[in-house]
Amino acid sequence: MLTFFFAALILLFTGGPVILSLIGSMVPDRVLFDDGKGLFSEGLNFETYRYIFTGQLPDSYSAENANPAMISDAARQVPRSLLNSSIVALSSMALNILFGAPAAFAFARYFFPGKGLTFMFLILSPLVPSVALVTPVYIMLQSLGLTGTQAGIILVHTAKALPFTILILSVFFRKMPNELFEAAVLDHCSRFQTFFRIALPLSLPSIGATGLFAFMLSYSEYMFSMVLSGDAATRPVSVVMAALARNTDVSWSLLNTAIFIAIVPTLVLVVLVWRFVVEGLLSGAVKG
């Protein structure tokens, strides 16, 4: 019983804001701020969704006495920025898996000169405050002509998530039975064959989980995205949402709509990979 209580509590704190933003996006402001009306007394309203995707103003804000500041133009950038963030985050996730998994396998199973020093550098690098790196990273990418491009943001986001990817996967590779790799040596497998034929298939659930983290980290990152992004064509959703939230007069219904739309890609990704990751981890635990 206690387990269900804490599970429900965690669900309330994690899923509650998502549900509230969904409800708030479909309820007009005049209902949200009127104590005498129920949330669904006027039915559901999708005018803010229509404005974000088509630019058509909600009827309630087309009146003469309406406050035009409540409808922010930044909300119109949400669909484009959503695509930008999805491209950047998926690219960062793919690069983290592509470079992080082989690097983690090398750190976990082999000895090479400078292994301890380089691994310590990887582990300690995330401890450096991001604000201290903004200027040198900007100067470096500017010299390469990558400021204001998605490629520059992808490189930075990949570098930020790579230490975590290598750390987590190296722990998993280190726990694999030595007998598997000894058998591979007896079968005359090279190091690349050992990784691709043995380590990689067994580590797919862990790789999926770390890749999901890399996606989340990139999708929600703000500081480097703000500094390195250019115009609206390359601006990620985190930057657009910050600009939208800075408007103190913005419509609460519009803000909740933008928030819920921004959450959708992460929800879709979690639904797609969660079953695979959980089933793989559970099957691995049963086999062990």
Side-chain angles (χ1 to χ4, degrees):
M1 186 64 182
L2 194 61
T3 303
F4 288 105
F5 171 76
F6 283 109
L9 195 63
I10 294 173
L11 179 63
L12 176 65
F13 279 96
T14 55
V18 178
I19 296 174
L20 288 176
S21 65
L22 175 61
I23 295 174
S25 67
M26 297 184 294
V27 178
D29 289 336
R30 61 181 179 274
V31 176
L32 284 174
F33 296 104
D34 192 340
D35 296 333
K37 294 183 178 180
L39 285 178
F40 304 105
S41 58
E42 296 187 11
L44 300 180
N45 190 306
F46 297 95
E47 290 183 345
T48 50
Y49 286 93
R50 185 183 63 189
Y51 170 72
I52 288 177
F53 287 103
T54 67
Q56 183 178 348
L57 282 175
D59 297 336
S60 56
Y61 297 102
S62 301
E64 295 182 0
N65 58 348
N67 182 7
M70 296 185 71
I71 299 298
S72 174
D73 290 336
R76 293 281 294 119
Q77 300 177 16
V78 169
R80 177 64 186 181
S81 66
L82 199 64
L83 177 62
N84 293 336
S85 287
S86 299
I87 293 173
V88 170
L90 287 172
S91 300
S92 177
M93 180 181 70
L95 290 175
N96 263 273
I97 294 174
L98 180 64
F99 295 112
F105 181 72
F107 277 115
R109 308 303 309 187
Y110 299 109
F111 293 96
F112 52 87
K115 173 183 174 180
L117 182 63
T118 53
F119 191 75
M120 185 63 66
F121 174 79
L122 282 171
I123 300 305
L124 296 180
S125 59
L127 300 180
V128 181
S130 297
V131 67
L133 300 175
V134 169
T135 301
V137 168
Y138 180 85
I139 294 175
M140 179 178 63
L141 292 182
Q142 188 180 42
S143 64
L144 297 174
L146 294 177
T147 53
T149 65
Q150 289 183 347
I153 302 176
I154 291 171
L155 288 176
V156 174
H157 287 187
T158 302
K160 282 178 64 66
L162 199 57
F164 178 86
T165 301
I166 295 176
L167 174 62
I168 297 300
L169 291 181
S170 64
V171 172
F172 180 82
F173 289 135
R174 197 176 294 117
K175 290 183 178 181
M176 285 184 173
N178 291 326
E179 291 78 5
L180 291 173
F181 301 100
E182 292 172 358
V185 173
L186 293 176
D187 290 337
H188 304 288
C189 288
S190 65
R191 293 182 176 181
F192 289 102
Q193 290 173 329
T194 302
F195 172 71
F196 284 108
R197 293 184 179 181
I198 298 176
L200 188 61
L202 293 175
S203 61
L204 285 179
S206 295
I207 290 176
T210 53
L212 181 60
F213 174 83
F215 179 93
M216 299 292 189
L217 187 64
S218 173
Y219 190 82
S220 60
E221 201 279 328
Y222 170 71
M223 182 175 296
F224 285 104
S225 299
M226 178 188 66
V227 174
L228 299 176
S229 61
D231 55 13
T234 59
R235 200 169 295 156
V237 70
S238 58
V239 179
V240 172
M241 291 301 301
L244 183 63
R246 280 198 296 266
N247 185 354
T248 56
D249 296 325
V250 70
S251 162
W252 278 90
S253 179
L254 182 63
L255 182 59
N256 279 298
T257 303
I259 291 172
F260 184 75
I261 293 174
I263 295 173
V264 167
T266 58
L267 295 178
V268 171
L269 186 64
V270 167
V271 170
L272 290 176
V273 306
W274 183 253
R275 182 177 179 181
F276 165 76
V277 171
V278 172
E279 287 185 350
L281 291 176
L282 290 178
S283 63
V286 172
K287 290 178 183 178

